[in-house]
Amino acid sequence: MSPREGRIFGMEHIPEKWLTTKIIHLGSVANEINPETGFDFPDAHVCISLQGWLREWDDRVTIQPSPFPVIKNPFLENSSAFLSDEDLGFNRSSLDYLCSLFPLLVLTKGKYRAEFYWQDKIKSISDNPGKVVDPTGAGEIFAAAFMKYFVIEKKSIEKSARLASALAAISVTRPGIEGIPTELEIQSIQKVQ
């Protein structure tokens, strides 16, 4: 089954108590969330990790970049989006289109650099992680931390990005779920940044 045929996740799968959260992070891995689904989170800021909508695979499960589907969904107009150069297949030709869909688009560029497309401006940040043991989940930690600082704590894009980048940099130094920053590490980063 192709990823575009396998979409299975919708509003009916979301627990009712989650509908009142301040931030919703949708992270499609294998196109299991239909970008045309009418998600309705009236009191939340929605952020979307786009990687699952930007990949496809063949019968041998070889993953390759795929163009972002052309969609008309008002739900996207108030969302923030996160993706990487790798998600784009290192081809930035669709970046203008993606920027037109989302008021805030964050493009991570490897080596803990990121570009932020917001209010017709581009801002860049970078960080230097320690020894990389396991990069899995660093993007999700970056996105979640960024949205917490930017949306809930109302910090600037630059400050939110530095905090998020520092936490993602910590996360790659340990394997698996051990990479999730501890409360003490989060507090320490907040004091330094």
Side-chain angles (χ1 to χ4, degrees):
M1 174 183 338
S2 81
R4 304 257 187 247
E5 295 166 355
R7 296 183 181 118
I8 57 169
F9 187 82
M11 282 300 288
E12 68 275 11
H13 298 102
I14 298 173
E16 190 173 329
K17 64 183 176 182
W18 289 9
L19 299 178
T20 59
T21 62
K22 294 186 186 208
I23 297 174
I24 298 290
H25 184 180
L26 297 174
S28 176
V29 174
N31 236 320
E32 70 281 9
I33 301 171
N34 184 340
E36 294 181 348
T37 297
F39 288 107
D40 184 21
F41 304 103
D43 300 320
H45 184 95
V46 177
C47 68
I48 303 167
S49 291
L50 298 179
Q51 68 181 4
W53 293 342
L54 293 166
R55 65 172 78 163
E56 60 188 12
W57 56 89
D58 58 23
D59 292 337
R60 292 174 291 168
V61 194
T62 303
I63 298 172
Q64 57 206 0
S66 171
F68 190 79
V70 175
I71 56 174
K72 299 282 186 201
N73 190 336
F75 141 77
L76 297 178
E77 294 170 5
N78 297 311
S79 302
S80 298
F82 293 80
L83 73 159
S84 70
D85 269 343
E86 184 179 14
D87 296 332
L88 292 172
F90 301 97
N91 177 351
R92 298 168 66 102
S93 62
S94 63
L95 203 52
D96 285 342
Y97 171 65
L98 291 170
C99 286
S100 75
L101 290 176
F102 302 98
L104 171 64
L105 182 80
V106 180
L107 176 69
T108 57
K109 300 172 55 80
K111 297 293 182 192
Y112 299 88
R113 294 178 298 132
E115 291 176 353
F116 297 80
Y117 298 83
W118 184 57
Q119 295 181 341
D120 297 323
K121 295 178 187 164
I122 302 172
K123 299 178 185 253
S124 298
I125 61 106
S126 63
D127 202 348
N128 295 312
K131 181 182 176 190
V132 176
V133 172
D134 183 1
T136 306
E140 287 74 16
I141 288 171
F142 179 92
F146 177 84
M147 296 313 294
K148 175 192 181 287
Y149 294 122
F150 185 63
V151 173
I152 293 177
E153 296 188 12
K154 307 290 187 210
K155 296 186 184 308
S156 69
I157 280 190
E158 294 87 351
K159 178 95 172 169
S160 299
R162 284 194 304 274
L163 288 161
S165 185
L167 292 172
I170 288 171
S171 78
V172 302
T173 64
R174 300 185 294 254
I177 62 170
E178 292 174 30
I180 298 171
T182 65
E183 185 64 34
L184 187 59
E185 288 170 325
I186 293 168
Q187 291 171 2
S188 174
I189 290 296
Q190 288 175 221
K191 287 179 186 172
V192 173
Q193 298 288 335

